[in-house]
């Protein structure tokens, strides 16, 4: 039975606590604000009032709405005054022992019907409730910062939580303008779990010397459509926040290779290069703005300086010939149209001429192995990533023996804003760039995107949440262009499976092993959202 929530107490009035208080008060709920630190609750309320007044002045809401919201916020100095509230939301430090002590104290104050919720992002709800006399009324209620803008909240039942508590909190989230998604009480829940692939794989690519962190950010922003590059995001979040979460989830899953952190962020944490908050992380910052000068965390010499070297090469493509090898027929057709639109001659012989650029549109492979597979000369070969939108960005990957003149030809064809597609005018007003990377199994975007999708599939297989809730939670909570499940459908599960199988085969690293959820649906040619209808857990 769903309880109608009329009153709510916030314990801990930092950024998260006040964000939750704001959306609750705006929803017409009476909110009591308490903080163990003297004066902190009043300071939090005043800060929120100043923010709301600025928003009101900009016309975001009326003066009547402003006054109504503020009237629903009450600061209390005595925690005993929360005795009769319907729900208590804890938003204090991420320390299990301290949270356990608080929940025991709350039980001695509130009524038997009061729901006790924790905004924990990394601790087990079951562990927090373990010392409570009534763990059945304890649940996770995990919001994301900034709370008013991040329209998602994870509702997490512990091992003893009653279904009515989950239903009440899900309904409360809806009243406050957020989507409540139910998640199992597992490390990272949905969003922090689903977000492990983005940063950890980017760090691994950087550590392998495939590209600089600036180039990795650029490829994933412009080519794959992420709102922020992974290193921009790490700097924004703070290495002191991100690295401990990486280690926590990795350790809690007993060293599952998919969640493996990278030594670089541990080194940066030790060296206090924490990101934007201290003025230096992967990037330098001045007055909060990113500088064009990065830190010393660069990639190997193989990947550095390539763009500068080949961008100075002549851009005359009139005498070039290109032989195309493509894993997918649709990719070959797209490249043929691109080359035709730019008046570039195509070598359509069974085997390429000795002076033709060999262009390989491949998945999950490196250029060397692809050249061997296509039985062509790797000295003439440059691979291109077709997973990304060529009208926005191009990633080119020579082999370790590709001759400079062929790399220069590939850059001349793709490294500037040439005509794209069938129309001679298409894309002509949009600046399009190319990034040259060192050899990698699976490029940059292929590796990162495939890992994001694969991890989403694995979360679905574990039954942590429904595929739909996983998709919505990750998209809203992390700002990805798609949720991982719908992204897999958009790109094609078979293509994602091919990328992972090849990378796994070439590297032997179990982090790349395809999830059985992905494998079965790819092989059956069905949507990744498909659940087994003839089986009940």
């Amino acid at each position: 039975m769903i309880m109608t929530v009329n009153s709510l107490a916030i314990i801990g009035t930092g950024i998260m606590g006040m964000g939750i208080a704001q959306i609750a008060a705006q929803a017409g709920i009476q909110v009591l604000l308490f903080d163990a630190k003297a004066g902190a609750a009043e300071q939090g309320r005043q800060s929120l009032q100043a923010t709301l007044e600025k928003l009101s002045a900009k016309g975001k809401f009326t003066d009547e709405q402003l006054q109504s919201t503020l009237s629903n916020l009450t600061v209390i100095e005595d925690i005993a005054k929360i005795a009769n509230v319907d729900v208590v939301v804890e938003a204090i430090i991420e320390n299990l022992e301290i949270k356990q002590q608080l929940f025991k104290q709350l039980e001695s104050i509130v009524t038997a019907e009061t729901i006790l919720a924790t905004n924990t992002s990394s601790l087990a709800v079951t562990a927090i409730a373990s010392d409570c006399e009534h763990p059945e009324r304890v649940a996770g209620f995990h919001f994301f910062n900034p709370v008013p803008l991040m329209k998602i909240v994870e509702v997490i039942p512990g091992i003893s939580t009653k279904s009515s508590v989950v239903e009440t909190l899900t309904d409360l989230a809806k009243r406050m303008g957020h989507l409540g998604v139910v998640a199992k009480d597992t490390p990272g829940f949905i969003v922090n779990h689903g977000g492990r692939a983005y940063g950890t794989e980017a760090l691994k690519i950087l550590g392998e010397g495939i590209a600089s962190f600036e180039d990795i950010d650029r490829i994933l922003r412009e080519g794959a459509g992420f709102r922020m590059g992974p290193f921009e995001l790490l700097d924004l979040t703070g290495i002191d926040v991100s690295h401990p979460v990486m280690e926590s989830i990795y350790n809690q899953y007993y060293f599952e290779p998919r969640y493996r952190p990278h030594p670089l962020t541990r080194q940066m944490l030790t060296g206090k290069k924490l990101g934007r908050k201290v003025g230096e992380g992967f990037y330098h910052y001045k007055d909060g703005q990113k500088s064009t000068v990065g830190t010393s965390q660069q990639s190997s010499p193989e990947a550095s300086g390539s763009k500068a070297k080949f961008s100075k090469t002549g851009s005359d493509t009139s005498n070039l010939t290109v032989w195309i090898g493509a894993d997918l027929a649709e990719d070959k057709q797209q490249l043929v149209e691109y080359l035709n639109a730019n008046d570039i001659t195509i070598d359509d012989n069974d085997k390429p001429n000795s002076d033709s650029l060999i262009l390989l549109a491949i998945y999950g492979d490196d250029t060397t192995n692809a050249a061997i597979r296509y039985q062509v000369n790797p000295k003439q070969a440059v691979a291109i990533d077709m997973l990304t939108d060529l009208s926005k960005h191009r990633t080119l990957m020579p082999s370790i023996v590709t001759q400079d003149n062929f790399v220069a030809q590939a850059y001349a064809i793709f490294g500037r804003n040439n005509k794209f597609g069938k129309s001679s005018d298409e894309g002509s007003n949009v600046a399009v760039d190319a990034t040259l990377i060192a050899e990698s199994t699976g490029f940059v975007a292929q590796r990162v995107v495939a890992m994001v999708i694969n991890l989403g599939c694995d979360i679905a297989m574990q039954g942590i949440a429904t595929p739909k809730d996983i998709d919505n939670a990750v998209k809203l909570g992390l700002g990805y262009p798609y949720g991982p499940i719908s992204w897999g459908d958009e790109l094609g599960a078979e293509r994602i499976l091919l990328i992972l199988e090849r990378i796994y085969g070439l590297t032997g690293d179990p982090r790349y092993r395809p999830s059985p959820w992905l494998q079965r649906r790819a092989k059956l040619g069905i949507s990744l959202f498909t659940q087994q209808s003839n089986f009940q857990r």
Side-chain angles (χ1 to χ4, degrees), residues 8 10 12-33 44-45 47-53 55-56 60-61 65-66 68-73 143 145-151 175-178:
L8 182 147
I10 300 291
T13 55
I15 294 174
M16 292 301 297
M18 290 311 301
I20 300 167
Q22 176 185 336
I23 63 172
Q26 287 175 331
I29 298 168
Q30 292 293 318
V31 181
L32 301 182
L33 303 172
R45 187 191 183 282
S47 178
L48 175 58
Q49 180 172 343
T51 299
L52 294 177
E53 286 174 346
L55 292 173
S56 179
K60 299 295 184 181
F61 44 83
Q65 290 172 319
L66 169 64
S68 174
T69 298
L70 293 175
S71 69
N72 289 332
L73 297 168
F143 290 82
N145 189 37
V147 175
L149 300 180
M150 303 296 283
K151 302 290 186 178
R175 278 183 61 195
M176 295 192 296
H178 281 43

Side-chain angles (χ1 to χ4, degrees), residues 42-346:
E42 179 58 36
Q43 184 180 357
R45 187 191 183 282
Q46 290 178 4
S47 178
L48 175 58
Q49 180 172 343
T51 299
L52 294 177
E53 286 174 346
K54 289 179 182 177
L55 292 173
S56 179
K58 294 179 180 179
K60 299 295 184 181
F61 44 83
T62 66
D63 185 65
E64 183 180 355
Q65 290 172 319
L66 169 64
Q67 296 307 319
S68 174
T69 298
L70 293 175
S71 69
N72 289 332
L73 297 168
T74 303
V75 173
I76 58 172
E77 297 295 337
D78 181 3
I79 195 171
K81 292 184 178 181
I82 71 170
N84 295 313
V85 298
D86 297 319
V87 175
V88 178
V89 179
E90 166 271 311
I92 64 171
I93 187 172
E94 282 289 272
N95 180 291
L96 179 59
E97 185 178 349
I98 294 174
K99 288 182 188 288
Q100 288 173 330
Q101 291 172 356
L102 173 61
F103 273 72
K104 287 182 69 175
Q105 180 185 12
L106 294 174
E107 275 202 315
S108 69
I109 297 172
V110 299
T111 68
E113 292 74 30
T114 301
I115 291 173
L116 303 180
T118 172
N119 185 52
T120 183
S121 61
S122 60
L123 301 174
V125 175
T126 299
I128 293 171
S130 61
D131 288 341
C132 291
E133 289 185 19
H134 298 286
E136 67 275 5
R137 62 167 166 185
V138 179
F141 203 36
H142 180 218
F143 290 82
F144 297 86
N145 189 37
V147 175
L149 300 180
M150 303 296 283
K151 302 290 186 178
I152 186 77
V153 55
E154 295 170 319
V155 180
I156 307 109
I159 199 168
S160 302
T161 308
K162 295 189 298 185
S163 59
S164 60
V165 170
V166 175
E167 292 166 2
T168 297
L169 290 177
T170 305
D171 181 70
L172 177 59
K174 184 177 180 180
R175 278 183 61 195
M176 295 192 296
H178 281 43
L179 174 66
V181 293
V182 179
K184 275 187 179 180
D185 189 15
T186 54
F189 312 128
I190 303 173
V191 176
N192 280 335
H193 187 171
R196 290 313 89 215
Y198 190 47
T200 57
E201 189 60 22
L203 283 162
K204 194 170 190 304
I205 292 168
L206 179 64
E208 292 172 7
I210 305 306
S212 67
F213 63 84
E214 297 100 328
D215 280 346
I216 295 169
D217 276 353
R218 185 181 304 109
I219 291 167
L220 293 170
R221 271 196 329 267
E222 298 175 11
F226 288 94
R227 187 177 302 169
M228 297 182 73
F231 301 104
E232 293 172 316
L233 183 59
L234 285 166
D235 274 1
L236 177 64
T237 305
I239 301 296
D240 56 331
V241 175
S242 298
H243 185 80
V245 171
M246 292 179 194
E247 287 191 336
S248 174
I249 292 179
Y250 181 60
N251 292 333
Q252 288 182 77
Y253 271 102
Y254 297 102
F255 315 116
E256 161 58 54
R258 289 194 181 102
Y259 314 127
R260 188 189 305 129
H262 196 275
L264 177 56
T265 45
R266 165 54 63 183
Q267 183 185 46
M268 293 177 70
L269 181 61
T270 303
K272 297 181 171 48
K273 296 185 186 299
L274 307 180
R276 188 177 296 189
K277 68 179 73 174
V278 298
E280 184 179 4
F282 288 95
Y283 296 90
H284 283 289
Y285 297 87
K286 185 175 182 180
D287 299 327
Q289 298 299 311
K290 186 174 70 175
S291 168
T292 56
V293 180
T295 71
S296 61
Q297 310 299 337
Q298 298 286 349
S299 60
S300 74
E302 283 191 278
S304 63
S306 294
K307 180 179 176 181
K309 176 180 179 180
F310 293 108
S311 62
K312 296 175 182 177
T313 305
S315 58
D316 181 15
T317 59
S318 58
N319 296 318
L320 301 183
T321 60
V322 179
W323 186 91
I324 302 171
D327 288 346
L328 301 180
E330 63 197 71
D331 290 341
K332 183 170 185 177
Q333 181 60 33
Q334 188 179 11
L335 288 170
V336 167
E337 292 175 359
Y338 177 89
L339 296 174
N340 285 337
N342 287 280
D343 301 319
I344 296 168
T345 303
I346 296 173

Side-chain angles (χ1 to χ4, degrees), residues 245-531:
V245 171
M246 292 179 194
E247 287 191 336
S248 174
I249 292 179
Y250 181 60
N251 292 333
Q252 288 182 77
Y253 271 102
Y254 297 102
F255 315 116
E256 161 58 54
R258 289 194 181 102
Y259 314 127
R260 188 189 305 129
H262 196 275
L264 177 56
T265 45
R266 165 54 63 183
Q267 183 185 46
M268 293 177 70
L269 181 61
T270 303
K272 297 181 171 48
K273 296 185 186 299
L274 307 180
R276 188 177 296 189
K277 68 179 73 174
V278 298
E280 184 179 4
F282 288 95
Y283 296 90
H284 283 289
Y285 297 87
K286 185 175 182 180
D287 299 327
Q289 298 299 311
K290 186 174 70 175
S291 168
T292 56
V293 180
T295 71
S296 61
Q297 310 299 337
Q298 298 286 349
S299 60
S300 74
E302 283 191 278
S304 63
S306 294
K307 180 179 176 181
K309 176 180 179 180
F310 293 108
S311 62
K312 296 175 182 177
T313 305
S315 58
D316 181 15
T317 59
S318 58
N319 296 318
L320 301 183
T321 60
V322 179
W323 186 91
I324 302 171
D327 288 346
L328 301 180
E330 63 197 71
D331 290 341
K332 183 170 185 177
Q333 181 60 33
Q334 188 179 11
L335 288 170
V336 167
E337 292 175 359
Y338 177 89
L339 296 174
N340 285 337
N342 287 280
D343 301 319
I344 296 168
T345 303
I346 296 173
D347 178 352
D348 56 5
N349 294 312
D350 290 340
K351 293 294 180 181
N353 294 324
S354 60
D355 60 349
S356 292
L357 165 66
I358 297 171
L359 187 64
L360 300 175
I362 56 175
Y363 292 95
D365 228 340
D366 59 30
T367 313
T368 295
N369 281 285
I372 293 169
R373 180 160 53 86
Y374 277 93
Q375 298 183 326
V376 296
N377 187 352
K379 294 182 179 180
Q380 300 171 238
V382 175
I384 184 168
D385 187 0
M386 299 299 290
L387 193 73
T388 59
D389 187 343
L390 295 189
S391 69
K392 296 179 180 177
H393 192 83
R394 299 92 186 253
T395 304
L396 302 171
M397 179 172 61
S399 78
I400 59 173
V401 296
T402 304
Q403 295 173 352
D404 280 359
N405 61 309
F406 291 109
V407 179
Q409 289 176 26
Y411 196 87
I413 295 169
F414 293 102
R416 58 192 177 87
N417 189 31
N418 285 333
K419 304 168 188 175
F420 180 77
K422 294 180 180 179
S423 170
S424 60
D425 294 324
E426 188 174 354
S428 59
N429 295 321
V430 181
V432 180
D433 203 355
T435 301
L436 290 168
I437 65 171
E439 268 207 277
S440 165
T441 50
F443 293 93
V444 171
Q446 287 184 20
R447 286 173 61 168
V448 171
V449 172
M451 289 291 280
V452 167
I453 293 168
N454 194 45
L455 185 52
C457 288
D458 206 57
I459 293 171
M461 190 181 73
Q462 293 179 46
I464 292 172
T466 66
K468 182 178 179 181
D469 278 352
I470 294 167
D471 215 55
N472 286 329
V474 171
K475 183 178 180 181
L476 291 173
L478 298 174
Y480 290 176
Y482 297 88
I485 310 299
S486 57
W487 209 350
D489 279 355
E490 175 73 17
L491 295 173
E494 300 89 345
R495 182 161 30 175
I496 300 304
L497 180 60
L498 176 61
I499 293 169
L500 292 166
E501 286 179 334
R502 281 191 176 151
I503 297 176
Y504 184 29
L506 288 168
T507 65
D509 190 337
R511 74 184 275 113
Y512 299 109
R513 69 193 191 281
S515 167
W517 182 285
L518 171 66
Q519 291 185 54
R520 296 183 187 114
R521 285 151 186 80
K523 290 175 180 178
L524 289 170
I526 58 178
S527 169
L528 293 177
F529 283 99
T530 306
Q531 295 176 269

